[in-house]
């Protein structure tokens, strides 16, 4: 069942700029990046995701498109090079690295505010559990519990990107 135009417009509005940044970082070509975004949304429109996170699905789809483009460019016949025909633009081998970076940057944003606050206090600000409890005005046991469940949720979010 294909998605209707309103859903496609919502996908562009919510995820389009991040998807384009990802494609642009991988391809270094604005026209190719726009093509990748359009192809991604077209594929998602034709075979929509029924469960899980849409953003991860979009980035995986874009990554697969870039890999397909790269593989097509590698099949360029040697005869064409002998005749001086220009080789098509190939996608950088950094696609996986870029996808992982995007997923890692955006994963904390999908956590609840309480979980994100605890992780920021413990892992970014390097507070001890006691210091985090004082800073967040919650008991130390709650800090430990939220940290445990926040990391568990973060693992689940990051596993969606695989």
């Amino acid at each position: 069942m294909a998605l209707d135009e309103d859903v496609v417009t919502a996908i562009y509005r919510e995820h389009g700029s991040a998807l384009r940044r990802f494609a642009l970082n991988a391809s270094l070509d604005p026209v190719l990046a726009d093509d990748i975004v359009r192809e991604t949304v077209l594929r998602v429109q034709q075979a929509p995701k029924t469960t899980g996170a849409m953003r991860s699905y979009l980035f995986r789809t874009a990554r697969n498109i870039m890999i397909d483009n790269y593989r097509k460019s590698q099949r360029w016949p040697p005869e064409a090079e002998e005749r001086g025909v220009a080789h098509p633009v190939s996608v950088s081998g950094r696609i996986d690295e870029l996808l992982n970076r995007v997923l890692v940057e955006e994963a904390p944003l999908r956590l609840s505010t309480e979980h994100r606050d605890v992780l920021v206090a413990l892992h970014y600000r390097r507070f001890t559990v006691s210091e985090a409890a004082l800073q967040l005005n919650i008991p130390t046991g709650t800090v430990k519990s939220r940290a445990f469940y926040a990391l568990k949720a973060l693992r689940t979010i990051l596993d969606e990107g695989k």
Side-chain angles (χ1 to χ4, degrees):
M1 180 175 146
L3 300 174
D4 64 4
E5 283 188 39
D6 293 336
V7 175
V8 171
T9 303
I11 289 172
Y12 269 113
R13 186 176 45 252
E14 189 174 342
H15 307 288
S17 61
L19 203 54
R20 186 176 189 283
R21 271 193 317 271
F22 172 65
L24 187 58
N25 280 334
S27 67
L28 303 175
D29 179 357
V31 175
L32 182 59
D34 290 337
D35 288 345
I36 290 167
V37 171
R38 278 191 292 276
E39 177 69 20
T40 300
V41 174
L42 180 65
R43 284 190 190 180
V44 169
Q45 182 181 16
Q46 292 171 348
K49 177 106 171 126
T50 55
T51 61
M54 175 60 80
R55 191 174 201 99
S56 297
Y57 181 61
L58 287 167
F59 279 99
R60 273 194 315 273
T61 303
R63 175 182 167 270
N64 291 342
I65 290 168
M66 288 186 267
I67 289 170
D68 291 347
N69 290 345
Y70 176 76
R71 288 177 179 159
K72 284 179 193 172
S73 74
Q74 295 304 305
R75 290 193 305 247
W76 192 247
E79 304 84 43
E81 288 180 16
E82 291 171 6
R83 289 188 215 140
V85 177
H87 196 282
V89 177
S90 64
V91 178
S92 170
R94 304 178 312 142
I95 294 172
D96 283 333
E97 176 187 328
L98 289 169
L99 178 61
N100 286 336
R101 185 174 56 185
V102 168
L103 291 174
V104 167
E105 287 174 358
E106 294 183 354
L109 300 175
R110 294 179 50 199
L111 294 175
S112 69
T113 304
E114 294 83 11
H115 287 159
R116 188 172 42 251
D117 289 346
V118 167
L119 286 184
V120 166
L122 293 175
H123 295 285
Y124 290 104
R125 294 186 181 151
R126 302 277 188 201
F127 288 164
T128 64
V129 172
S130 299
E131 292 169 338
L134 285 173
Q135 178 73 25
L136 298 171
N137 199 26
I138 56 177
T140 56
T142 304
V143 171
K144 292 177 185 179
S145 174
R146 285 184 186 172
F148 173 80
Y149 287 108
L151 290 174
K152 187 175 179 179
L154 203 53
R155 277 188 211 102
T156 303
I157 291 167
L158 292 174
D159 283 344
E160 288 176 359
K162 290 182 181 176

